[in-house]
Amino acid sequence: MRPVLGSRASVGAVVTWFLYNGLVMGLWMAAIPALKVRAGVNAATFSIALVSMGLGAIASMQVSARLVERLGTRRICLIMSGFLMVGILAVGFAPDMGWVVAAAVIVGIGQGGIDVAMNALGVQVEA
């Protein structure tokens, strides 16, 4: 059974999504020094991965905004949390810079989509 919007359970769900997103992004940022060493690149070269993540997030935000209207915030949060999980695992196992960039795009897609969906859910719960 889904919580009623505005209930304690729905407020808890919103807080949980924000915590989850923050945890994953914190893991990603904390891994940057180790990823640079593993990939054997300097900060300037690693910035390609950061830009790739941003581009993935921007594209995902555009698509997710429309999907939230069609499918609802809950479904989009669940789908995008899957992207975040896969992306952060891929970052952890990335053997070289190419894989880091690919994983960064996946993390960006998940982060952008979940950001739109959890904020839309927050607005619904607050209203």
Side-chain angles (χ1 to χ4, degrees):
M1 185 170 150
R2 290 188 201 173
V4 176
L5 290 176
S7 68
R8 282 186 175 203
S10 62
V11 170
V14 171
V15 170
T16 301
W17 284 117
F18 274 89
L19 287 173
Y20 171 75
N21 188 40
L23 176 66
V24 172
M25 294 313 294
L27 288 170
W28 162 252
M29 295 302 148
I32 288 175
L35 291 171
K36 287 192 314 190
V37 170
R38 186 183 325 150
V41 298
N42 60 18
T45 304
F46 193 80
S47 67
I48 294 167
L50 298 177
V51 169
S52 299
M53 184 183 83
L55 293 174
I58 290 168
S60 178
M61 286 177 183
Q62 302 305 312
V63 173
S64 295
R66 287 161 183 77
L67 289 175
V68 162
E69 293 173 355
R70 274 195 204 149
L71 302 175
T73 56
R74 181 176 180 265
R75 283 188 183 152
I76 300 305
C77 280
L78 291 171
I79 291 167
M80 292 304 160
S81 68
F83 276 95
L84 277 174
M85 281 188 257
V86 169
I88 205 70
L89 284 172
V91 165
F93 291 108
D96 59 29
M97 188 61 185
W99 284 101
V100 171
V101 170
V105 170
I106 296 169
V107 169
I109 289 169
Q111 201 285 322
I114 204 168
D115 189 64
V116 167
M118 70 184 181
N119 279 297
L121 180 60
V123 168
Q124 291 172 354
V125 168
E126 186 179 10

